Amino acid sequence: MSEQLAKELQLEEENAAFPEVVAVAEGPFITGENIDTSSDLMLAQMLQMEFDREYDAQLRREEKKINGDSKVSISFENYRKVHPYDSDSSEDEVDWQDTRHDPYRADKPTTTPRKGFIGKGKDITTKHDEVVCGRKNTARMENFAPEFQVGDGIGMDLKLSNQVFNALKQHAYSEERRSARLHEKKEHSTAEKAVDPKTRLLMYKMVNSGMLETITGCISTGKESVVFHAYGGNATEDKVIPPECAIKVFKTTLNEFKNRDKYIKDDYRFKDRFSKLNPRKIIRMWAEKEMHNLTRMQNAGIPCPQVVILKKHVLVMSFIGQDQIPAPKLKDVTLSSEDMKKAYYQVLNMMQQLYKECNLVHADLSEYNMLWHDGKVWLIDVSQSVEPTHPHGLEFLFRDCRNVSQFFQKGGVAEALNERELFNAVSGFNITADNEVDFQAEIEALEKMNEDHVQNHGKKLSMFSSDGDPPIYDE
């Protein structure tokens, strides 16, 4: 009896010191008679579920360790594993795999009914409630631009005041506009001595098509355009490609064209199209205008670049120069007295031809837009040229006459006419004014009369008529 009692006491002590681990018979991972473990899919699911339970338990321990007693808690719910076949859940704890009932995730704000309040009596909540407005402002942050990161404000249950939300909204709009400006500058603008991707693609197509052999580099830059040198390619049936070409790329930035609309909006050739186009397309119209003006001058026999082709805002012309060296401007070349006198009469005859035969006024004629090549003067940059019927055509002509007269008088040409005499010689008018102020007043009166005449009799008809052709000056 004593031995039997001693064994029972020993068993009781062992059971108290090492309690037996009782496995839970429930759950798909524990094998039993009602569990089919012959399927590989079932085994994989059970193993994955067991791994996920251990992973979630580790997340809960980390979450509890980080949060501690803090009033602001951090949830790792987005990192938990969710499986549609996981039905094992404990009644004593939250089902962490059901994100629809996450106690740490705030619900999205509900819309306020049309009557403006919710509830009754002391539990009434109006649309001006601080908490309601704060959550609505947080939800409205999701409408900001994608590049403006706002975080998971709803998940953190942020309550933004109107002042903070308006400040964030203004900052988001400012960043969006700044980003748009940077994109505009990068994608659409033509910088000095460089072209944007679209312009580069146009130039590549010209080379790939065989029209141009190669583009060597930039030879000139200005306020409105960049000029490149290129070697001509194979000639086609209807077009002869010069051995050397000049590619004039009009800058697609609009800053340089704000003060140039007066040259095109009142030109009857483009007036009807001007009001219907956006500012960027005006630049293409500017290139088209130069092409038409050069074609008129070429048909009249005036020395000027020969038009090869126009593609949007890229104009290909013949190159005035030789071996990639452009012809010098008239202001940069040193001429003898005989050559200077010869150049003066050439310019005078070209101005008369331009006015009478081409029905054009250069509108920007000076020593900067005239080249000296092969012993004669060449006219370039005629994109701003207008017809005499333009409301300011005669004013532009008088300005050209002043520039030409002053340049050649300073160059030592004694036969050079002054601006008033040169104006009468080019236009054929016989304005007899004693001073420049009265002379310009008569020019403005003529323009006013012509504008009224054009409006009454048609846009292409002009009342400008002289007693005969202007006298041709020859040396």
Side-chain angles (χ1 to χ4, degrees):
M1 291 295 294
S2 58
E3 292 180 359
Q4 185 178 0
L5 181 59
K7 290 182 179 180
E8 291 178 358
L9 292 176
Q10 185 177 0
L11 288 175
E12 290 179 0
E13 292 179 358
E14 291 179 356
N15 291 335
F18 307 101
E20 183 179 358
V21 179
V22 180
V24 181
E26 299 177 357
F29 180 73
I30 305 300
T31 58
E33 296 180 358
N34 58 343
I35 301 298
D36 183 13
T37 59
S38 61
S39 173
D40 294 339
L41 176 61
M42 180 62 68
L43 288 175
Q45 290 178 351
M46 292 191 308
L47 289 173
Q48 184 64 46
M49 289 175 60
E50 184 65 20
F51 172 78
D52 292 345
R53 290 193 189 96
E54 296 177 1
Y55 178 75
D56 291 345
Q58 179 67 22
L59 283 181
R60 285 195 294 270
R61 287 193 295 269
E62 293 291 337
E63 188 178 276
K64 184 176 180 181
K65 179 179 178 181
I66 293 176
N67 291 333
D69 298 332
S70 176
K71 294 182 179 180
V72 180
S73 60
I74 297 177
S75 174
F76 291 167
E77 177 63 23
N78 291 337
Y79 298 96
R80 302 186 191 282
K81 306 296 183 180
V82 179
H83 297 281
Y85 51 82
D86 185 10
S87 60
D88 184 18
S89 62
S90 175
E91 297 179 358
D92 300 332
E93 61 181 3
V94 179
D95 185 6
W96 293 102
Q97 299 176 1
D98 188 1
T99 58
R100 294 174 298 176
H101 304 290
D102 183 5
Y104 293 99
R105 179 174 293 275
D107 296 332
K108 289 189 176 181
T110 57
T111 58
T112 306
R114 185 172 298 179
K115 58 185 179 180
F117 64 90
I118 302 175
K120 295 181 180 180
K122 63 179 181 178
D123 298 329
I124 189 172
T125 302
T126 67
K127 62 181 180 180
H128 302 292
D129 183 74
E130 182 178 358
V131 176
V132 174
C133 291
R135 286 176 174 169
K136 284 185 178 180
N137 290 336
T138 302
R140 290 165 63 188
M141 285 198 307
E142 296 181 353
N143 297 327
F144 289 169
E147 58 269 13
F148 190 78
Q149 304 293 335
V150 296
D152 188 11
I154 297 179
M156 299 174 64
D157 197 17
L158 290 180
K159 302 176 185 64
L160 297 180
S161 63
N162 292 335
Q163 182 180 3
V164 175
F165 173 77
N166 290 334
L168 288 175
K169 181 180 178 181
Q170 184 62 35
H171 179 66
Y173 287 168
S174 300
E175 288 295 313
E176 187 176 2
R177 290 196 300 268
R178 187 180 70 87
S179 177
R181 287 195 300 269
L182 293 177
H183 179 77
E184 173 80 8
K185 183 177 181 181
K186 178 181 178 181
E187 296 295 333
H188 299 288
S189 65
T190 305
E192 186 174 349
K193 296 186 180 181
V195 292
D196 61 302
K198 293 184 178 180
T199 306
R200 190 179 299 112
L201 181 60
L202 289 175
M203 298 169 68
Y204 284 162
K205 287 182 177 179
M206 294 179 183
V207 176
N208 292 335
S209 64
M211 186 181 67
L212 298 178
E213 181 180 348
T214 181
I215 299 175
T216 57
C218 178
I219 58 176
S220 175
T221 60
K223 294 185 298 182
E224 66 177 27
S225 63
V226 180
V227 182
F228 295 87
H229 175 272
Y231 285 106
N234 300 325
T236 59
E237 297 179 357
D238 57 345
K239 192 176 295 294
V240 177
I241 309 298
E244 292 185 88
C245 297
I247 306 175
K248 189 171 184 178
V249 180
F250 288 85
K251 293 183 179 179
T252 53
T253 50
L254 303 178
N255 297 333
E256 303 297 340
F257 288 85
K258 291 181 179 179
N259 61 343
R260 293 182 173 268
D261 57 350
K262 61 183 179 181
Y263 293 97
I264 194 170
K265 70 177 182 180
D266 293 324
D267 194 328
Y268 79 87
R269 296 175 294 173
F270 303 93
K271 186 175 182 179
D272 296 336
R273 297 166 53 192
F274 181 82
S275 60
K276 300 177 182 179
L277 300 179
N278 58 39
R280 187 166 300 282
K281 291 185 179 180
I282 296 177
I283 301 171
R284 298 184 184 178
M285 192 185 300
W286 193 264
E288 180 184 348
K289 192 166 183 276
E290 176 153 6
M291 180 194 68
H292 290 310
N293 292 338
L294 285 175
T295 303
R296 285 192 186 185
M297 295 169 60
Q298 183 180 349
N299 294 335
I302 298 176
C304 65
Q306 176 187 355
V307 177
V308 178
I309 194 173
L310 172 66
K311 290 291 186 180
K312 295 183 179 180
H313 60 284
V314 179
L315 179 62
V316 181
M317 306 171 290
S318 60
F319 179 70
I320 309 301
Q322 189 175 4
D323 298 333
Q324 303 185 30
I325 301 176
K329 298 178 181 178
L330 206 57
K331 74 176 186 68
D332 297 327
V333 66
T334 303
L335 300 178
S336 63
S337 58
E338 290 297 326
D339 287 339
M340 184 65 74
K341 182 179 178 180
K342 179 181 176 182
Y344 171 72
Y345 284 106
Q346 287 180 3
V347 173
L348 180 55
N349 290 331
M350 284 191 295
M351 292 179 67
Q352 292 175 339
Q353 282 184 284
L354 196 65
Y355 187 89
K356 280 298 180 181
E357 299 180 22
C358 302
N359 196 29
L360 287 176
V361 175
H362 191 283
D364 192 24
L365 188 62
S366 67
E367 61 273 19
Y368 293 87
N369 292 330
M370 293 184 287
L371 304 180
W372 180 258
H373 181 62
D374 288 341
K376 59 183 179 180
V377 180
W378 298 69
L379 296 184
I380 60 172
D381 292 342
V382 293
S383 56
Q384 72 288 328
S385 298
V386 297
E387 296 193 347
T389 56
H390 190 279
H392 303 285
L394 296 182
E395 295 179 28
F396 296 154
L397 177 60
F398 184 73
R399 186 176 61 188
D400 291 347
C401 294
R402 181 191 294 115
N403 295 335
V404 171
S405 178
Q406 291 178 356
F407 173 75
F408 284 103
Q409 285 179 355
K410 292 179 180 179
V413 180
E415 297 84 353
L417 304 175
N418 60 39
E419 58 266 23
R420 285 173 283 175
E421 295 172 344
L422 184 59
F423 179 87
N424 289 332
V426 172
S427 63
F429 292 111
N430 188 20
I431 301 177
T432 57
D434 297 334
N435 54 66
E436 184 175 338
V437 176
D438 295 339
F439 196 90
Q440 290 184 346
E442 292 194 27
I443 290 177
E444 293 177 1
L446 286 173
E447 289 178 339
K448 178 62 177 175
M449 292 172 57
N450 178 71
E451 185 176 0
D452 296 338
H453 184 83
V454 170
Q455 291 178 356
N456 294 331
H457 297 85
K459 58 187 179 181
K460 293 186 179 181
L461 299 177
S462 172
M463 52 79 60
F464 290 160
S465 61
S466 58
D467 297 336
D469 292 337
I472 302 299
Y473 287 82
D474 193 1
E475 58 178 320

